[in-house]
Amino acid sequence: MGNNNYVSRRRFLKTAAVGTAGVFAAPLIVPSSVFGAEAPSNRINVGVIGCGRQGRGVMSSIMRNADTRIIAVCDLDSIRLADAKTYTEQSTERFLNTPHTGVKMYGDYRELLADKEIDAVLIATPDHQHSRLAIDTAWAGKDIYMEKPASLTIHDGRLMSNAINATGRILQIGSQQRSSKQFRQACEFVRSGRIGQLKTIEVRLPGDPPGGNPNTMPIPANLNYDAWLGSTPYVPYTLDRVHPQGKDGKPDFDRPGWLRCEQFGAGMITGWGSHHFDIAHWAMDTEYSGPIEISASTVFPAAGSGLWNVHGPYQSEMLYANGVVVKGMEESKEKPNGLLFTGTDGWIFVSRGDERVTDSDPIKETGNAVERGPISASNPNILRELADDEVHLYVSENHTRNWLDCIKSRKKPIAPAEVAHRSCSACLLQQVAMHLKRKLFWDPKAERFKNDDEANSWLQRPERPNYAIQA
């Protein structure tokens, strides 16, 4: 679990904003509104923090469950906030054929966390806000569904996982591939020895284009920009650094520019990498560990080429203690998006098939590739049905439903906090190696680089005091 101290509960109770109601105590038991006799159908009341492109997708999935209601929304963009209220009320009525009104709106997430009616929270903000919000939500006594990646730094991810462990909350990371049959099957086949001894895993990710307008612009009146920057250093506002503003008071949910700024995220290495490297860990049974050697190379955008500065096409290689080598790369016609597991007796390839996630993700092209999605193998017999004595992994058929079920049962979800932290860490280790341009040696138990002060300086970033995580 690493050697960092748990996040202080007193810190959250001291700093949480609750309006005029005063400081509230963070319950460490399941809220009565989840299980109480007065709760209709054991309804789970959900609040949403971050109502942009990713948030709306998960909101739609949550709203389709009759035992759940989204009763509050929070966003730093007042136009998106008002739209989220309307979207929630209208969509719930459409999905469940029942009226749903009175969804509350909050401009400060701390006020949402102080709402005693809320049992669980969806966090779908930009990446740099994830770990802090998860920590505060856990200490507020609420369960969490959080979009990946788990954190912007390995240090913050450790604090997040520690807080979930200390409070006993349920956290599901949005690694929804774990709830897709073909990814689970691929991991079962690999762990059952269908391809012999596993030797290598190729992880193929989309790329991100450079560009973006760096020119300073006036801050929109509807955006709390200082809070949006959060713990990161102040930089002038420009549209391509945040998200599209839309027109005529209507929000625009096109892919936001912050995804391509290292101040707020690491690029596709965590964007898609959090999904695929998580599956690699699942197949290797290294979900609570990490690599021991890491090397990577890339070309970052040249100065003056625009605002966006995340990594370009890259190559990486990570050695795990079990002897498996995990190779990362940008997808191509010959090597389509997905994971290729190669062993002494064959290979298995798994992907999302023809699914596209965003307009900027490359269209899947198989080209001359031997592999085909969503799952294929060097020999069809490799994909035969599992026998009773082979490896059978955790089955989830719906990622949000699994989260809701675990809120009720208090069982561990399919993508819990520590697993999320470890898969994100594998991605962030590659980002550090891209910058330092040399092989790095990692201790996955201590979560430190070995005898390398320069590399260890990348494990944590300076934070603005008003928005810092305070242990």
Side-chain angles (χ1 to χ4, degrees), residues 89-269:
E89 293 174 348
Q90 292 180 351
S91 297
T92 300
E93 181 170 357
R94 184 171 72 255
F95 294 149
L96 302 180
N97 196 29
T98 182
H100 183 51
T101 59
V103 171
K104 290 171 277 192
M105 296 188 295
Y106 293 104
D108 187 326
Y109 81 92
R110 295 167 296 183
E111 295 175 359
L112 182 146
L113 295 184
D115 188 333
K116 294 181 180 180
E117 288 189 282
I118 296 173
D119 307 308
V121 173
L122 162 63
I123 297 172
T125 64
D127 298 356
H128 67 290
Q129 303 275 18
H130 286 182
S131 50
R132 178 177 183 244
L133 293 179
I135 291 167
D136 287 353
T137 302
W139 285 119
K142 304 179 192 300
D143 298 311
I144 303 157
Y145 185 108
M146 185 167 71
E147 274 297 279
K148 54 78 202 164
S151 65
L152 188 62
T153 68
I154 291 175
H155 170 268
D156 290 356
R158 167 48 53 211
L159 295 182
M160 179 277 297
S161 184
N162 285 353
I164 299 303
N165 184 57
T167 59
R169 306 322 307 168
I170 299 296
L171 183 144
Q172 177 89 296
I173 198 74
S175 295
Q176 70 270 18
Q177 289 182 167
R178 282 184 170 244
S179 296
S180 295
K181 182 179 180 180
Q182 72 267 28
F183 287 99
R184 183 187 76 250
Q185 287 181 321
C187 294
E188 290 173 331
F189 294 148
V190 171
R191 287 171 68 161
S192 295
R194 293 285 184 88
I195 58 173
Q197 183 181 356
L198 180 63
K199 291 296 188 180
T200 64
I201 305 174
E202 287 188 7
V203 177
R204 304 158 180 178
L205 310 178
D208 253 326
N213 183 356
N215 296 330
T216 300
M217 302 177 185
I219 299 172
N222 52 289
L223 178 65
N224 183 344
Y225 182 59
D226 188 73
W228 186 91
L229 287 171
S231 63
T232 71
Y234 184 87
V235 286
Y237 173 83
T238 184
L239 183 68
D240 285 348
R241 182 174 275 128
V242 189
H243 57 249
Q245 278 296 311
K247 297 179 180 179
D248 302 323
K250 299 292 184 180
D252 183 330
F253 296 108
D254 285 345
R255 192 166 189 259
W258 65 261
L259 284 164
R260 287 163 271 191
C261 297
E262 276 205 317
Q263 181 169 345
F264 313 114
M268 283 295 187
I269 193 64

Side-chain angles (χ1 to χ4, degrees), residues 246-462:
K247 297 179 180 179
D248 302 323
K250 299 292 184 180
D252 183 330
F253 296 108
D254 285 345
R255 192 166 189 259
W258 65 261
L259 284 164
R260 287 163 271 191
C261 297
E262 276 205 317
Q263 181 169 345
F264 313 114
M268 283 295 187
I269 193 64
T270 54
W272 265 80
S274 290
H275 292 299
H276 284 356
F277 287 102
D278 175 53
I279 299 301
H281 280 187
W282 203 14
M284 287 191 291
D285 194 16
T286 57
E287 300 165 272
Y288 295 91
S289 184
I292 58 174
E293 296 180 9
I294 310 99
S295 58
S297 62
T298 189
V299 176
F300 288 94
S305 63
L307 176 71
W308 300 328
N309 61 354
V310 296
H311 67 86
Y314 81 104
Q315 297 282 333
S316 69
E317 188 169 292
M318 297 189 293
L319 173 66
Y320 283 72
N322 58 11
V324 177
V325 175
V326 179
K327 300 178 180 181
M329 64 198 68
E330 186 168 310
E331 65 181 3
S332 66
K333 290 182 179 181
E334 293 74 25
K335 293 180 177 290
N337 187 318
L339 296 98
L340 176 67
F341 301 95
T342 302
T344 53
D345 298 331
W347 55 261
I348 293 172
F349 177 76
V350 64
S351 75
R352 296 188 188 183
D354 294 325
E355 178 184 343
R356 294 179 66 202
V357 176
T358 71
D359 288 340
S360 68
D361 289 342
I363 298 174
K364 179 181 173 60
E365 297 180 273
T366 55
N368 298 322
V370 176
E371 310 95 350
R372 297 290 185 270
I375 186 168
S376 57
S378 54
N379 185 328
N381 190 49
I382 291 173
L383 305 181
R384 68 187 184 277
E385 186 176 350
L386 285 168
D388 291 343
D389 61 350
E390 291 187 288
V391 175
H392 293 258
L393 298 174
Y394 192 136
V395 177
S396 166
E397 296 179 350
N398 182 293
H399 211 58
T400 51
R401 185 65 247 178
N402 174 254
W403 173 59
L404 297 171
D405 288 342
C406 289
I407 289 175
K408 292 184 176 184
S409 70
R410 310 314 293 171
K411 294 180 180 179
K412 186 175 291 187
I414 194 167
E418 182 66 16
V419 169
H421 166 60
R422 294 293 184 163
S423 58
C424 181
S425 295
C427 302
L428 293 171
L429 290 171
Q430 293 169 84
Q431 183 201 23
V432 175
M434 290 178 197
H435 280 281
L436 297 184
K437 297 180 174 60
R438 55 184 170 82
K439 181 176 285 190
L440 304 174
F441 300 89
W442 179 248
D443 182 339
K445 184 176 181 179
E447 297 189 88
R448 301 279 294 176
F449 292 102
K450 296 179 179 180
N451 303 314
D452 195 330
D453 291 342
E454 181 184 25
N456 283 322
S457 71
W458 283 80
L459 299 179
Q460 185 176 4
R461 298 189 188 188

